[in-house]
Amino acid sequence: MSRTILTFLLFWIGIGSLHASMTISGTRIVFPASEKEVNVRTMNKGDLPSLVQVWVDDGRPNEDVNNVKVPFIVTPPVYRVEPKRGQSVRMIFNGMPLPQDQESVFWFNMLEIPPRNASNEGGQKLELAFRTRIKIFYRPVSLEKSNSELESGKLNWKIVRDTRRGIGIEVDNATPYYFSFDGASVVTRRGNVSLAVDMVAPKSKRVFYPEKKLDMQEKISELKFRFLNDYGAPVNISMITGEGDRFIQRP
């Protein structure tokens, strides 16, 4: 779950610990196509009331929300939450046509605007608005009996070599599910080398490269990767190098 500070006013150098009071239950939302709506639970864990705005975007976080076409309506779009209290938001499917043979991804946004502190009027102050974004996976009816965790064995991994970027690891996601990778590394003679990973869309390929370039002749004996399941829990998998620079499951 990523938090982006949208606006800030800083009038004093000394800053204490800063954090958002509003949280979302879960780190992702799976929206089954068989449902007309799902509830998203938000919670104010702070000691002051918060004003909250919620909306859905298509992956372009800075686009004008009025110019973005998304398949969900969220209500209430703006609400106040008292300290230590929660508020459920209804996310309703609006009937927008979406692919029925693979997942689609969108983003749920929550902007928290804390109240103005009267005790700081006229003095040094720091005013923050916190924005939280989590992924929404729209899952067609034909895919509801499975998920990315159950389909992870269908990912195909192999070593690729690029004259400019060096050795990389290609993943071929032939499944209809999105895979959100949380980490990956390869084992070489130097030890573990971390890879820069990202989400991989259904029926697509991505190449992950090390954070530090690996020589074209480097020997790789093992691949370790970690992705997040429907509940946001990490799933760790380890594979070894097989024939033709492809990775295979351990015997």
Side-chain angles (χ1 to χ4, degrees):
M1 184 168 54
S2 62
R3 291 170 178 158
T4 304
I5 299 177
L6 290 183
T7 58
F8 61 91
L9 298 173
L10 180 59
F11 298 97
W12 191 251
I13 296 177
I15 302 176
S17 62
L18 302 171
H19 60 86
S21 298
M22 291 297 303
T23 62
I24 303 173
S25 178
T27 60
R28 62 204 49 243
I29 301 167
V30 177
F31 195 109
S34 57
E35 302 291 334
K36 294 183 179 180
E37 65 178 73
V38 299
N39 288 327
V40 181
R41 184 69 174 172
T42 64
M43 180 73 184
N44 182 0
K45 294 186 176 181
D47 298 321
L48 296 172
S50 286
L51 182 66
V52 181
Q53 180 182 8
V54 291
W55 71 96
V56 174
D57 72 56
D58 61 359
R60 296 175 293 171
N62 298 319
E63 185 71 18
D64 185 341
V65 67
N66 296 312
N67 297 330
V68 175
K69 293 183 178 180
V70 293
F72 306 109
I73 300 169
V74 288
T75 183
V78 179
Y79 54 91
R80 174 188 167 108
V81 188
E82 298 301 322
K84 313 302 181 183
R85 300 293 297 272
Q87 170 72 48
S88 288
V89 177
R90 297 170 62 203
M91 193 166 68
I92 305 167
F93 182 62
N94 64 16
M96 176 178 159
L98 292 173
Q100 295 303 303
D101 61 344
Q102 66 181 53
E103 287 184 328
S104 299
V105 68
F106 300 91
W107 293 81
F108 180 88
N109 296 262
M110 179 178 70
L111 179 66
E112 172 193 349
I113 306 172
R116 188 180 296 274
N117 191 337
S119 64
N120 284 335
E121 291 295 334
Q124 294 84 10
K125 58 185 177 180
L126 178 67
E127 295 181 354
L128 296 171
F130 288 94
R131 177 176 175 178
T132 301
R133 299 176 78 231
I134 64 173
K135 296 170 186 174
I136 307 166
F137 297 99
Y138 174 83
R139 186 165 294 168
V141 174
S142 61
L143 306 182
E144 289 182 12
K145 293 183 179 180
S146 189
N147 54 56
S148 60
E149 183 172 1
L150 296 176
E151 299 287 319
S152 61
K154 296 181 181 179
L155 296 176
N156 293 308
W157 299 83
K158 70 176 182 180
I159 300 170
V160 295
R161 293 173 172 83
D162 182 274
T163 54
R164 182 175 62 88
R165 303 189 66 180
I167 288 181
I169 306 299
E170 180 189 270
V171 55
D172 181 358
N173 177 17
T175 80
Y177 300 92
Y178 277 89
F179 278 83
S180 296
F181 293 99
D182 187 44
S185 64
V186 290
V187 178
T188 71
R189 290 171 296 182
R190 309 179 193 177
N192 284 333
V193 177
S194 296
L195 304 175
V197 296
D198 202 349
M199 183 171 68
V200 179
K203 303 175 184 179
S204 68
K205 299 178 181 180
R206 290 288 299 272
V207 178
F208 299 145
Y209 287 95
E211 297 172 354
K212 293 184 178 180
K213 182 178 178 181
L214 280 178
D215 184 84
M216 297 277 280
Q217 305 305 316
E218 185 69 58
K219 299 295 183 181
I220 295 176
S221 59
E222 186 178 356
L223 166 69
K224 303 174 184 178
F225 64 91
R226 181 174 64 252
F227 66 92
L228 304 179
N229 65 15
D230 281 359
Y231 305 100
V235 179
N236 292 284
I237 296 179
S238 175
M239 307 180 77
I240 60 174
T241 308
E243 295 182 1
D245 283 338
R246 295 187 178 276
F247 291 96
I248 60 174
Q249 293 287 348
R250 289 183 177 277

